[in-house]
């Protein structure tokens, strides 16, 4: 027996862009606000605070101890990380000698702002401990790497909504815990945990958004989701600016509170993914969701289910052939439709009521050559785009000018990127659009790196910042396009896991990126050149990936193999047509 219907036709009958879908999309995408806050909070909660070595209570202590020297005169300079003593001593024959000695900050540090203005100053993460500020961001990304794999597998097994809502609550609880952390070790551990929940939200938003719409409407997901993410990243600059004179803990509490509001809305108003319900045999839940959606969209449920009487005949025919879906002929509508959903909505032939599709795991990627090639290219592309994306954000406050404005302008580049990506995808498809985004990013990074060593000249430093912002324009488009392109060439029961493992691999680049700010202080052009070169390799590797424009999401590995078989046949036939044309001429 062959499959009867696909999921997309049902969603079209429901109204491809109906009020129900659009409302659900907005509620789902609200999760991007809290997720973006927790991801980039370190930029402002751990901002650089000017400091120098603190002087002793009694200046005579400088010459005390075993190093006591008979100074005739001395000059003390309290520099960053160093106390310098310049002295003149008088020797025989009235000759003076100049001596210079350096000491560490023996008496602690003195900050130009209040001690709790930043966790950097409150935990004294300066001088030898300065790398711990960058490590805090790396730990968030490490948590993302763990969360991407775990949350995606749990989501495939137990449902998209449970993971999305649970992760949103986790962001709030752990975010508040970070604000209460009394020491850096506790703070660091909580940063890993918040990264874990943050990735659960992000992957949930992406997957639920994609599965909510039909193939011709999927580009809408890219635009709307990216806009919500951009609103989150840009609005954080406003919160940080308004609270710039408050403790970093107050800012942390404020950003975490958004996740609580989002959790309440999503818990009560967001429905489970219909595709997940259908693929996992949750027949009654799928029917309930369809009824609710039809009511909100003003559609007739019977017309959406396409003649239940005909499905009754189909089911009765199946019973005579040995199916075990024993339904009463007189109990027409609900049971017959349930039987048909159980047999067909998952996209597989079944011989027993409610049978599910065969679960796939990440190991299946290594069992199939085609999936393995796709995974390799995808993983490298994610490493590259994550490295570039995080590097641009973490270094945005180090350019000439006001740090809040520089961050805001960098973040606001994500807004036009989604609009540009929308038109690129409609015109060129997913694959070429992402390639072009990588290319634009590479050119911008190389240009910024060229200007960076001369940033002492204000106009050149401004140009370096502008090129870096253009890099964010391309990098954001590449990130968004890749986030929604990746699930489209993996089968249904592997889709969330593929997205999760790809995101996990991308975190390798994200974990290295925070230290690019430190590297840039030593070799100013290095971060841009490294990022641009990685983008060039990603562009070359993309030739091995398929174009998904105009195709329904693949249900199994057979669908993916069919894509490549059709592509090979098309490539073989094209030269033949060219030869035939030449002969006709």
């Amino acid at each position: 027996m062959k499959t009867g219907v696909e999921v997309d036709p049902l969603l079209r009958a429901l109204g491809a862009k109906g009020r129900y879908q659009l409302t659900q999309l907005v509620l789902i995408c609200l999760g991007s606000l809290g997720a973006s806050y927790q991801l980039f909070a370190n930029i402002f909660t751990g901002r650089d605070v000017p400091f120098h070595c603190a002087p002793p209570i009694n200046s005579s202590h400088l010459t005390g101890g075993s190093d006591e020297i008979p100074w005739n005169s001395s000059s003390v300079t309290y520099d960053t990380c160093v106390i310098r003593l310049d002295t003149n001593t008088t020797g025989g024959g009235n000759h003076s000698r100049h001596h210079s000695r350096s000491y560490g900050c023996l008496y602690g540090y003195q900050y130009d702002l209040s001690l709790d203005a930043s966790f950097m100053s409150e935990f004294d993460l300066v001088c030898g401990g300065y790398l711990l500020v960058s490590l805090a961001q790396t730990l968030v990304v490490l948590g993302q790497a763990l969360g991407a794999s775990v949350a995606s597998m749990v989501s495939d097994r137990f449902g998209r909504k449970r993971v999305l809502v649970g992760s949103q609550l986790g962001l709030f609880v752990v975010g508040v815990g970070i604000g209460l952390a009394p020491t850096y070790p506790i703070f660091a551990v909580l940063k890993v945990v918040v990264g874990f929940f943050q990735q659960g939200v992000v992957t949930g938003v992406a997957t639920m958004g994609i599965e909510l719409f039909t193939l011709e409407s999927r580009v809408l997901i890219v635009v709307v989701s990216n806009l919500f993410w951009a609103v989150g990243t840009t609005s954080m600059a406003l919160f940080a600016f308004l609270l710039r004179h408050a403790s970093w803990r107050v800012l942390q509490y404020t950003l975490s509170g958004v996740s609580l509001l989002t959790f309440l809305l999503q818990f009560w108003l967001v429905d489970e993914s219909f595709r997940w319900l259908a693929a996992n045999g949750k027949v009654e839940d799928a029917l309930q969701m369809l009824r609710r959606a039809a009511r909100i969209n003003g559609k007739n449920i019977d017309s959406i289910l396409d003649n239940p009487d005909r499905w009754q005949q189909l089911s009765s025919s199946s019973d005579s052939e040995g199916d075990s879906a024993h339904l009463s002929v007189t109990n027409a509508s609900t049971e017959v439709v349930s039987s048909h959903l159980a047999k067909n909505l998952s996209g597989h032939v079944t011989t027993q009521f409610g049978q599910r599709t065969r679960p796939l795991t990440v190991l299946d990627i290594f069992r199939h050559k085609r999936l393995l090639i796709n995974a390799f290219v995808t993983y490298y592309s994610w490493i590259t785009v994550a490295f570039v994306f995080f590097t641009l954000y973490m270094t945005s406050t180090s350019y000439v000018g006001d740090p809040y404005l520089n961050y805001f302008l960098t973040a606001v580049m994500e807004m036009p990127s989604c609009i540009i990506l929308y038109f690129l995808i409609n015109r060129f498809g997913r694959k070429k659009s992402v390639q072009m985004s990588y290319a634009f990013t590479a050119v911008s990074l190389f240009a910024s790196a060229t200007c960076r060593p001369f940033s002492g000249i204000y106009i050149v430093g401004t140009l370096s910042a502008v090129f870096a912002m253009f890099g964010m324009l391309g990098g954001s488009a590449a990130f968004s396009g890749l986030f929604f392109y990746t699930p489209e060439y993996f089968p249904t029961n592997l889709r969330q896991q593929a997205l999760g493992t790809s995101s996990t691999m991308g975190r390798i680049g994200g974990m290295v990126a925070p230290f690019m700010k430190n590297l840039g202080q030593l070799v100013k052009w290095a971060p841009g050149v490294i990022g641009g070169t990685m983008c060039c390799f990603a562009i070359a590797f993309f030739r091995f990936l398929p174009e998904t424009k105009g195709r329904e999401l693949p249900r199994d590995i057979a669908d993916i193999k069919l894509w490549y078989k059709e592509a090979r046949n098309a490539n073989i036939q094209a030269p033949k047509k060219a030869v035939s044309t030449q002969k006709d001429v």
Side-chain angles (χ1 to χ4, degrees):
M1 179 179 169
K2 296 180 181 180
T3 55
V5 293
E6 307 292 348
V7 174
D8 276 9
L10 275 178
L11 295 180
R12 292 189 189 99
L14 189 65
K17 298 178 184 177
R19 188 171 65 178
Y20 171 82
Q21 287 96 322
L22 294 177
T23 302
Q24 288 288 303
L25 178 62
V26 170
L27 290 170
I28 290 169
C29 290
L30 283 175
S32 297
L33 300 180
S36 64
Y37 292 159
Q38 297 299 336
L39 181 60
F40 296 120
N42 286 349
I43 295 176
F44 294 110
T45 59
R47 59 177 168 157
D48 290 336
V49 177
F51 74 97
H52 57 270
C53 292
I57 298 176
N58 186 344
S59 60
S60 63
H61 291 173
L62 286 171
T63 58
S66 60
D67 287 335
E68 184 173 357
I69 297 176
W71 311 103
N72 290 336
S73 61
S74 64
S75 174
V76 182
T77 302
Y78 299 98
D79 207 343
T80 56
C81 305
V82 173
I83 299 176
R84 289 191 176 88
L85 272 69
D86 297 308
T87 63
N88 293 315
T89 59
T90 302
N94 293 325
H95 294 294
S96 62
R97 295 181 179 179
H98 179 78
H99 299 273
S100 180
R101 285 196 177 188
S102 297
Y103 299 88
C105 294
L106 305 175
Y107 312 102
Y109 308 96
Q110 193 171 79
Y111 298 94
D112 294 356
L113 300 178
S114 61
L115 189 64
D116 63 352
S118 164
F119 69 77
M120 182 202 83
S121 54
E122 183 164 334
F123 297 140
D124 281 337
L125 305 180
V126 294
C127 300
Y130 184 66
L131 289 179
L132 294 179
V133 178
S134 298
L135 179 63
Q137 183 62 33
T138 296
L139 292 175
V140 176
V141 182
L142 175 61
Q144 282 188 299
L146 299 174
S149 295
V150 175
S152 60
M153 287 187 287
V154 173
S155 176
D156 280 342
R157 184 172 180 81
F158 297 104
R160 317 300 198 208
K161 179 181 176 179
R162 291 180 182 178
V163 172
L164 175 64
V165 173
S167 297
Q168 199 68 252
L169 180 61
L171 277 185
F172 167 70
V173 174
V174 181
V176 171
I178 290 173
L180 296 172
T183 61
Y184 180 80
I186 296 176
F187 173 87
V189 171
L190 290 177
K191 279 295 180 179
V192 177
V193 181
V194 84
F196 180 92
F197 286 118
Q198 191 272 351
Q199 196 61 20
V201 171
V202 171
T203 55
V205 168
T207 304
M208 290 190 74
I210 287 177
E211 295 184 344
L212 187 63
F213 288 86
T214 58
L215 67 91
E216 61 270 15
S217 303
R218 279 183 234 147
V219 178
L220 176 68
I221 314 303
V222 178
V223 177
V224 175
S225 299
N226 204 28
L227 281 175
F228 271 89
W229 179 267
V231 169
T233 54
T234 53
S235 60
M236 191 178 73
L238 177 62
F239 284 124
F241 180 77
L242 294 176
L243 297 173
R244 65 189 182 279
H245 299 304
S247 168
W248 69 270
R249 298 179 186 272
V250 174
L251 177 58
Q252 180 66 33
Y253 298 146
T254 303
L255 298 178
S256 300
V258 175
S259 295
L260 176 61
L261 297 177
T262 306
F263 161 76
L264 295 174
L265 288 172
Q266 292 180 337
F267 180 81
W268 290 109
L269 301 176
V270 171
D271 290 333
E272 181 57 86
S273 165
F274 178 70
R275 291 182 188 272
W276 183 87
L277 292 173
N280 289 273
K282 307 290 184 179
V283 178
E284 290 301 327
D285 292 335
L287 281 172
Q288 184 178 355
M289 195 227 80
L290 279 178
R291 292 191 186 99
R292 181 167 183 259
R295 184 177 68 253
I296 294 175
N297 285 355
K299 301 288 184 177
N300 183 279
I301 185 65
D302 290 332
S303 64
I304 292 175
L305 295 177
D306 190 21
N307 192 354
D309 292 334
R310 177 172 62 82
W311 288 10
Q312 177 185 351
Q313 297 171 2
L314 182 62
S315 178
S316 300
S317 171
S318 300
D319 290 341
S320 64
E321 294 173 3
D323 277 355
S324 58
H326 301 295
L327 302 176
S328 172
V329 176
T330 59
N331 197 4
S333 180
T334 302
E335 291 185 350
V336 173
V337 170
S338 298
S339 176
H340 189 76
L341 283 170
K343 293 173 183 177
N344 297 300
L345 287 186
S346 65
H348 291 268
V349 179
T350 63
T351 59
Q352 188 174 2
F353 177 74
Q355 182 177 338
R356 302 182 182 182
T357 56
R358 184 181 73 86
L360 298 175
T361 67
V362 177
L363 295 178
D364 285 289
I365 292 177
F366 300 95
R367 297 189 183 108
H368 301 273
K369 179 181 177 181
R370 188 67 262 170
L371 288 181
L372 183 60
I373 294 174
N374 287 359
F376 171 79
V377 177
T378 303
Y379 291 163
Y380 177 80
S381 301
W382 274 83
I383 292 173
T384 298
V385 76
F387 173 84
V388 170
F389 188 77
F390 280 95
T391 296
L392 290 171
Y393 262 117
M394 301 313 295
T395 59
S396 62
T397 57
S398 64
Y399 291 97
V400 296
D402 182 77
Y404 296 97
L405 180 60
N406 285 341
Y407 170 85
F408 175 81
L409 293 176
T410 299
V412 83
M413 287 292 104
E414 293 204 59
M415 290 188 177
S417 74
C418 65
I419 305 299
I420 295 172
L421 183 64
Y422 175 81
F423 289 106
L424 286 176
I425 288 177
N426 280 334
R427 177 66 177 84
F428 300 103
R430 275 73 159 162
K431 178 179 176 179
K432 290 184 179 179
S433 297
V434 176
Q435 281 181 303
M436 287 187 284
S437 299
Y438 272 99
F440 184 81
T441 303
V443 172
S444 300
L445 291 177
F446 285 136
S448 178
T450 302
C451 299
R452 188 68 167 159
F454 310 101
S455 55
I457 305 173
Y458 185 80
I459 186 64
V460 180
T462 302
L463 282 175
S464 180
V466 170
F467 284 129
M469 293 170 190
F470 283 149
M472 177 57 74
L473 179 67
S476 176
F479 215 151
S480 299
L482 198 60
F483 218 110
F484 293 96
Y485 175 45
T486 297
E488 292 187 341
Y489 50 82
F490 285 96
T492 298
N493 274 1
L494 189 60
R495 187 171 300 132
Q496 183 85 337
Q497 295 179 55
L499 181 61
T501 54
S502 298
S503 185
T504 299
M505 295 299 295
R507 303 315 151 194
I508 295 174
M511 284 188 283
V512 176
F515 297 99
M516 289 299 102
K517 183 177 181 179
N518 306 103
L519 177 61
Q521 294 173 345
L522 301 175
V523 185
K524 293 184 176 182
W525 51 263
V529 171
I530 294 173
T533 302
M534 292 176 67
C535 286
C536 291
F537 280 106
I539 295 169
F541 291 152
F542 258 82
R543 64 183 293 268
F544 297 105
L545 294 180
E547 176 56 69
T548 60
K549 183 180 180 181
R551 294 180 178 272
E552 187 172 351
L553 296 177
R555 295 160 297 174
D556 50 32
I557 297 173
D559 284 347
I560 295 176
K561 291 181 178 179
L562 181 61
W563 284 10
Y564 284 95
K565 183 177 180 180
E566 292 174 350
R568 285 195 302 269
N569 292 339
N571 291 334
I572 292 173
Q573 292 174 4
K576 290 182 178 180
K577 290 181 179 180
V579 172
S580 176
T581 303
Q582 291 177 359
K583 289 181 178 179
D584 293 340
V585 173

